[in-house]
Amino acid sequence: MSPGPLRNDELRMFADAVNAFLDDHATPEATARWRADGAVSEETWRCAGRAGLLGVSIPEEYGGAGADFRFEMVLMECLGRKHALNFAIPLHNAVVAPYLVRYASEEQKRRWLPGAVTGETILAVAMTEPGAGSDLQGMQTVERRQGDHYVINGQKTFISNGLHGSLIVVAAKTDAQAGAKGISLFVVETDKVEGFARGRLLDKLGQEGRDTAELFFSDMRVPAENLLGGVEGAGFGMLMENLPQERIVIAGQALGMIDAAMDATLHYVKERRAFGGALFDFQNTKFKLAECATQARIAKVFLDHCVDQLVAVTLDAATASMAKYWITEAQGAIIDECLQLFGGYGYMLDYPIANMYKDARAYRIYGGTSEIMKLLIARSL
Ligand SMILES: Cc1cc2nc3c(=O)[nH]c(=O)nc-3n(C[C@H](O)[C@H](O)[C@H](O)COP(=O)(O)OP(=O)(O)OC[C@H]3O[C@@H](n4cnc5c(N)ncnc54)[C@H](O)[C@@H]3O)c2cc1C
């Protein structure tokens, strides 16, 4: 299923709107400020809401644009090309919002989704714990029903949008020994619950403009109706249903960054001179960039295939894992080659390629590591 001509027009118009927003709000000075502050400001989130960048695929009846996933892909590509991927809109729009759209009750959707569209509410998802990342079944955060509330105790770490997130999908277990069937998902409205605390903003190798934080739950009382889907123990199934899309979202951002790295490098090697000619004149430069361009094209074609499947609701977990694994590994390799072509300037943070090098490293880790992707792929063989 590929987009028809009208669709393409709409996609282009949307890209123009996103680029106009990013030209104003994601200037080099602004993105440097995000990194210095450790976060994109709440005001910038609200501006993005006003510009129509948030809740792109949230249905119209809840204030969103009701667009399909291809529009989210356009958004990621634009963020990538403008070096603005530290603004975690893809996580908000295309990773967390779908949990609410799919599993929240009608009343909850009416209450929660409009704020996610305006940017008054920032979304996050909290699965990982200090002792349980790849092996989510080992999580120790527990919930226990008490009248019309659940009482949740535990801790999460590495949570993106952890500082500004005000509606957080939290995974917890009925008891710590319960396996996958014991996992439930809760929506935590952070300004309404007691026993919720944010830890420090984590000091990261890259992606410094994303507010990655720890979360602590100490007898946190969540209304029973905030149990997502209304059934205890259904959380693992929901995660399994949503993780393929999350993996495509990560692959989509990786490809956006690859495009930006290739553009910047091509520009640089055609300008920079050595031994009487442009760097681009060396056969090594041409061969390296030809290899990178080929990998980038393969990534794009495969990702387009996955997105078509996602839109047609036929994307399986193994194929999504292949995309996440292969494209993020290609991202690391391509950006490394690109940086080399910048020489010493590539190591200077004044050059976007240096920040891309740092930012790219996390892509092979979060949303499931490359090793976990291979396990999932192997399971399908
Ligand atoms: C910047 C950043 C943002 C993040 N944002 C979020 C977020 O918003 N929400 C959230 O819930 N989490 C988030 N995470 C957490 C992320 O998803 C986990 O870090 C990731 O899943 C890996 O878990 P871990 O760190 O516990 O590593 P571990 O699971 O301890 O893995 C360590 C190493 O062992 C390998 N390994 C583990 N199991 C196997 C196996 N069976 N076979 C072979 N190798 C294996 C892994 O591949 C890895 O190389 C984020 C992480 C980062 C770095």
Side-chain angles (χ1 to χ4, degrees):
M1 196 169 128
S2 46
L6 179 65
R7 240 27 200 155
N8 280 333
D9 272 358
E10 287 176 2
L11 289 169
R12 248 191 310 275
M13 277 166 55
F14 179 62
D16 289 345
V18 174
N19 283 327
F21 173 85
L22 295 176
D23 285 342
D24 287 344
H25 295 276
T27 57
E29 297 72 35
T31 55
R33 196 166 53 247
W34 301 347
R35 286 184 195 270
D37 292 350
V40 175
S41 74
E42 292 181 2
E43 178 50 26
T44 304
W45 277 92
R46 286 191 288 270
C47 288
R50 285 195 290 278
L53 272 61
L54 304 184
V56 172
S57 44
I58 289 177
E60 286 168 297
E61 58 263 44
Y62 310 113
D68 71 42
F69 188 75
R70 282 177 292 232
F71 287 78
E72 302 286 7
M73 291 297 294
V74 166
L75 178 53
M76 289 177 230
E77 189 183 331
C78 296
L79 288 168
R81 285 198 182 268
K82 302 273 182 188
H83 310 298
L85 284 165
N86 274 217
F87 196 173
I89 302 179
L91 171 74
H92 173 95
N93 272 8
V95 174
V96 193
Y99 283 99
L100 307 177
V101 172
R102 284 189 186 143
Y103 310 118
S105 70
E106 189 55 34
E107 183 275 324
Q108 288 168 333
K109 286 190 224 186
R110 293 199 180 281
R111 193 148 50 92
W112 290 334
L113 292 174
V117 175
T118 60
E120 296 297 321
T121 306
I122 297 171
L123 307 177
V125 59
M127 296 183 250
T128 307
E129 301 185 358
S134 303
D135 182 13
L136 277 181
Q137 296 190 33
M139 73 175 63
Q140 296 294 307
T141 296
V142 288
E143 102 253 348
R144 123 183 95 77
R145 178 97 189 216
Q146 210 175 67
D148 55 1
H149 279 76
Y150 281 93
V151 179
I152 300 179
N153 280 289
Q155 171 181 355
K156 299 287 174 184
T157 193
F158 306 149
I159 305 309
S160 307
N161 290 346
L163 184 68
H164 289 325
S166 49
L167 204 70
I168 305 183
V169 175
V170 171
K173 272 183 171 179
T174 37
D175 81 74
Q177 307 316 317
K181 290 201 173 93
I183 297 178
S184 304
L185 299 184
F186 293 88
V187 177
V188 175
E189 298 167 272
T190 61
D191 50 354
K192 292 198 180 137
V193 292
E194 284 172 22
F196 170 83
R198 302 177 203 267
R200 66 198 170 94
L201 206 54
L202 298 169
D203 195 12
K204 306 192 291 295
L205 172 69
Q207 303 195 6
E208 302 95 320
R210 285 197 176 197
D211 50 319
T212 310
E214 298 170 303
L215 306 177
F216 298 94
F217 319 125
S218 162
D219 284 337
M220 177 173 72
R221 286 169 65 79
V222 176
E225 70 207 30
N226 286 25
L227 168 67
L228 212 48
V231 185
E232 279 183 28
F236 202 72
M238 292 176 192
L239 292 175
M240 293 305 110
E241 240 168 21
N242 285 272
L243 282 171
Q245 176 159 325
E246 173 168 355
R247 282 158 190 161
I248 298 302
V249 171
I250 295 171
Q253 292 173 84
L255 188 58
M257 197 186 288
I258 289 173
D259 288 342
M262 291 291 295
D263 284 354
T265 308
L266 270 168
H267 180 78
Y268 185 80
V269 297
K270 287 180 180 176
E271 295 282 313
R272 173 84 176 165
R273 299 185 69 76
F275 297 98
L279 293 185
F280 189 66
D281 297 334
F282 296 125
Q283 190 186 49
N284 177 65
T285 307
K286 289 183 174 145
F287 279 12
K288 288 294 178 198
L289 287 173
E291 288 163 14
C292 292
T294 307
Q295 280 192 301
R297 181 74 64 86
I298 293 169
K300 167 111 183 83
V301 171
F302 184 45
L303 193 61
D304 282 351
H305 162 77
C306 292
V307 170
D308 283 349
Q309 289 197 336
L310 197 150
V311 172
V313 204
T314 56
L315 179 69
D316 61 67
T319 308
S321 301
M322 288 175 185
K324 202 263 172 189
Y325 149 63
W326 199 85
I327 297 173
T328 61
E329 292 284 339
Q331 172 196 25
I334 290 171
I335 290 171
D336 190 48
E337 292 290 8
C338 286
L339 189 149
Q340 186 71 13
L341 292 173
F342 276 78
Y345 293 98
Y347 204 66
M348 299 299 132
L349 290 171
D350 296 338
Y351 283 73
I353 194 72
N355 278 318
M356 286 189 240
Y357 184 79
K358 291 193 301 174
D359 291 353
R361 193 60 187 87
Y363 283 64
R364 283 176 268 166
I365 297 170
Y366 56 35
T369 63
S370 288
E371 293 73 30
I372 295 301
M373 295 305 98
K374 289 184 211 173
L375 280 180
L376 292 171
I377 296 161
R379 250 184 232 162
S380 74
L381 303 179

